[in-house]
Amino acid sequence: MTETVEEPVEETVETVTETAEEPVEETVETVTETVEEPVEAEAPAEENAEAAVVNEVVTTAEETVEEPVIEAVTEANDDTEETDVVAVVEGDEIKSDEFVEMAVFNRYQILSSYNQYAQYYAMFGLPLDDVNTYYENLMGEDGKQDLGQSTINQLAYFKMLELEAAEMGLEATDKEAVDQMKANFGYDQQDKEAEESLGLDTFNIDTDISNEEDEEEFKNYIQMDLDVSFNGKISYEFLREYVRHGILENKVVEKLLEGRVFEEEMVNARHILVDEEETAKELLEKLNAGEEWDALAAEYSKDTGNKDQGGALGWFGRNVMVSEFEDAAFALEPGEISEPIKTSFGWHIIASDGKEIRPMEDEALQAAQNEVYEEWYNSLQEKYNVESYPEVWLPIVPLEPVFEAIVINPEAQNPDIPTFHIISDEEGTEGEDAENKNSEQTVDKDEAGNEYESSEDEEDLTIRNTEQDDELGIKNTEQESTAYLINNDAENK
């Protein structure tokens, strides 16, 4: 009997050792079946001892084999999950579906800005060649890297915004977002108008979303609009989160600006603008001789926007006027009159009516507040850890909606209401010729037509600083809330 037990045991142990890489459960079952049956049949002490050795070997085999298998499975699962993660912000993952939807939304935003540029250029009969080239690059295959990175930046910013808001004790709820969406879409107003047309008492009707049925109705209402506007690519939930982050950002900015005083040195000045230096010197002599400033301004000044008001410019701070004019105005003490000052617009005589520290207003105030916001925004990059995986997100950057260039139709009868058509491959050259022809006609008309004169709408434009205009000729809007505009990093690269 001893020989009968020992032989299968040795065989089995060898089998376990040699086939440890095979599936564990099958091997263990084989070992158990092979060993246990002979041991149960006969049970002398010696045999029981040998059976204990066998069980120990089996247990060891189980432990040795199972552990690597579990680790391998865990690693495999980790790898599978990471393929769906495009970035991580402080341990919070950004998934691929979030990325794609935001990228599609950004493409629609870019197309919207392009259409605005096209309308603006068409209004003044300007060729769109440079604009079209810029957007073709931005929206094409070459622009995937920049579009993808700007989308990652935006999604990461939303994550950091949540963390910052939590530190400040701030939050924005889904209900706040829905209420804002209702206001934007005129949802409540439509209800009220319908109720009034039916003679219902609108004061006793609560139009807020108060239950699941009403919320579902509003969701369907918005989703239908989104399906039309975004070709079914944007969901109600995405828009609600987008709006919620905009509300949250406004709260954070209000907190950042809380208690801050925005003041700066300002001057109150007047000017008379002429073409020639000799004329400016003659005017200065007349003023020194006692002639009235207002009368001379009305007679000589080219700035028709304020010549009849004595050339009054009101209070202004730094970085508003062109540098030569600004430096001269701030160098004057109240009551002083400058020597003739040369700028790109002509020759100026400047009079100072005051200089003091005053609260900022309008563009100056907005610029100062934006500076606070930018300082905070830049600090986020150092404060939070953001890991981006371009090897995951770059292949999935969408190329839809597709960019299609616009040209002005040269056959439009009314130049004030331009007609557009899409450039096709066959008529691309014809479209370029049409743009050039349109441009030439505009130049000829300008050279042969009415003389340029300032209008009331152009008040102070002759001396305002326009260096902040962007490269496409329209006022730079990058300082607006990032929750309502796309991140412009891609466009600025």
Side-chain angles (χ1 to χ4, degrees), residues 102 105-106 109 154 157-158 161 239 241-250 373 479-487:
M102 179 63 79
F105 183 76
N106 284 345
Q109 294 281 73
Q154 190 172 9
Y157 169 70
F158 286 161
L161 180 65
L239 183 62
E241 274 299 282
Y242 191 82
V243 172
R244 191 182 69 80
H245 281 120
I247 295 171
L248 188 60
E249 182 184 56
N250 288 338
Y373 170 83
Q479 304 303 327
E480 298 186 28
S481 170
T482 57
Y484 295 101
L485 293 177
I486 63 171
N487 186 309

Side-chain angles (χ1 to χ4, degrees), residues 376-417:
W376 167 79
Y377 177 83
N378 292 333
S379 72
L380 301 181
Q381 317 307 315
E382 299 178 0
K383 184 175 180 180
Y384 296 107
N385 179 40
V386 179
E387 299 176 18
S388 175
Y389 308 122
E391 68 277 8
V392 178
W393 58 253
L394 186 57
I396 60 175
V397 174
L399 291 175
E400 294 182 353
V402 177
F403 171 75
E404 294 181 307
I406 295 175
V407 292
I408 302 172
N409 188 342
E411 298 177 359
Q413 298 297 314
N414 186 351
D416 295 329
I417 308 177

Side-chain angles (χ1 to χ4, degrees), residues 106-107 133 162 210 240 250 293 360 385 393 428 464 492:
N106 284 345
R107 288 183 68 86
T133 299
E162 295 278 4
S210 56
R240 186 185 62 198
N250 288 338
W293 174 282
M360 294 181 177
N385 179 40
W393 58 253
R464 296 292 179 183
N492 292 333

Side-chain angles (χ1 to χ4, degrees), residues 143-405:
K144 287 180 65 175
Q145 174 76 38
D146 290 340
L147 176 63
Q149 187 61 63
S150 67
T151 301
I152 290 292
N153 293 347
Q154 190 172 9
L155 290 170
Y157 169 70
F158 286 161
K159 298 286 188 184
M160 294 185 284
L161 180 65
E162 295 278 4
L163 295 172
E164 288 289 292
E167 285 187 8
M168 298 178 183
L170 302 173
E171 67 172 349
T173 65
D174 287 348
K175 185 181 185 308
E176 288 178 281
V178 171
D179 288 344
Q180 183 64 57
M181 290 165 65
K182 288 171 65 178
N184 291 346
F185 282 85
Y187 186 75
D188 283 345
Q189 187 61 35
Q190 289 180 8
D191 285 347
K192 291 176 182 178
E193 291 174 357
E195 290 156 6
E196 288 173 357
S197 68
L198 295 173
L200 300 177
D201 183 0
T202 59
F203 296 100
N204 296 324
I205 296 178
D206 182 9
T207 55
D208 288 338
I209 293 178
S210 56
N211 55 57
E212 293 182 3
E213 184 178 346
D214 289 338
E215 185 170 359
E216 189 66 25
E217 181 180 344
F218 176 70
K219 175 181 176 180
N220 293 337
Y221 169 81
I222 296 299
Q223 190 62 61
M224 284 190 296
D225 191 273
L226 291 174
D227 289 344
V228 172
S229 301
F230 297 96
N231 198 28
K233 302 292 185 181
I234 301 300
S235 67
Y236 166 84
E237 290 76 15
F238 170 87
L239 183 62
R240 186 185 62 198
E241 274 299 282
Y242 191 82
V243 172
R244 191 182 69 80
H245 281 120
I247 295 171
L248 188 60
E249 182 184 56
N250 288 338
K251 291 182 178 183
V252 168
V253 171
E254 286 179 9
K255 191 73 172 178
L256 291 172
L257 300 179
E258 192 176 81
R260 290 178 179 264
V261 178
F262 295 94
E263 296 178 333
E264 68 172 338
E265 185 181 39
M266 296 186 182
V267 295
N268 186 10
R270 295 169 285 152
H271 82 131
I272 301 174
L273 174 66
V274 295
D275 287 325
E276 304 295 335
E277 182 180 12
E278 288 302 318
T279 307
K281 289 180 177 179
E282 290 175 11
L283 284 171
L284 191 57
E285 291 177 1
K286 291 176 183 288
L287 290 168
N288 291 333
E291 294 194 33
E292 283 192 21
W293 174 282
D294 288 357
L296 293 174
E299 180 180 354
Y300 287 95
S301 184
K302 290 174 52 188
D303 193 342
T304 58
N306 54 44
K307 62 182 294 184
D308 294 331
Q309 291 78 43
L313 300 171
W315 290 94
F316 58 89
R318 297 281 184 180
N319 303 315
V320 176
M321 308 297 184
V322 291
S323 59
E324 301 92 341
F325 188 96
E326 177 187 293
D327 292 342
F330 275 87
L332 296 173
E333 293 300 324
E336 291 182 343
I337 296 176
S338 73
E339 295 294 322
I341 302 298
K342 177 73 168 66
T343 72
S344 58
F345 303 104
W347 291 86
H348 307 260
I349 302 295
I350 306 171
S352 175
D353 293 329
K355 181 165 63 172
E356 60 188 52
I357 303 296
R358 294 172 62 89
M360 294 181 177
E361 298 177 347
D362 304 327
E363 293 90 350
L365 176 60
Q366 185 65 51
Q369 292 175 339
N370 286 340
E371 188 174 340
V372 173
Y373 170 83
E374 287 180 359
E375 182 180 344
W376 167 79
Y377 177 83
N378 292 333
S379 72
L380 301 181
Q381 317 307 315
E382 299 178 0
K383 184 175 180 180
Y384 296 107
N385 179 40
V386 179
E387 299 176 18
S388 175
Y389 308 122
E391 68 277 8
V392 178
W393 58 253
L394 186 57
I396 60 175
V397 174
L399 291 175
E400 294 182 353
V402 177
F403 171 75
E404 294 181 307

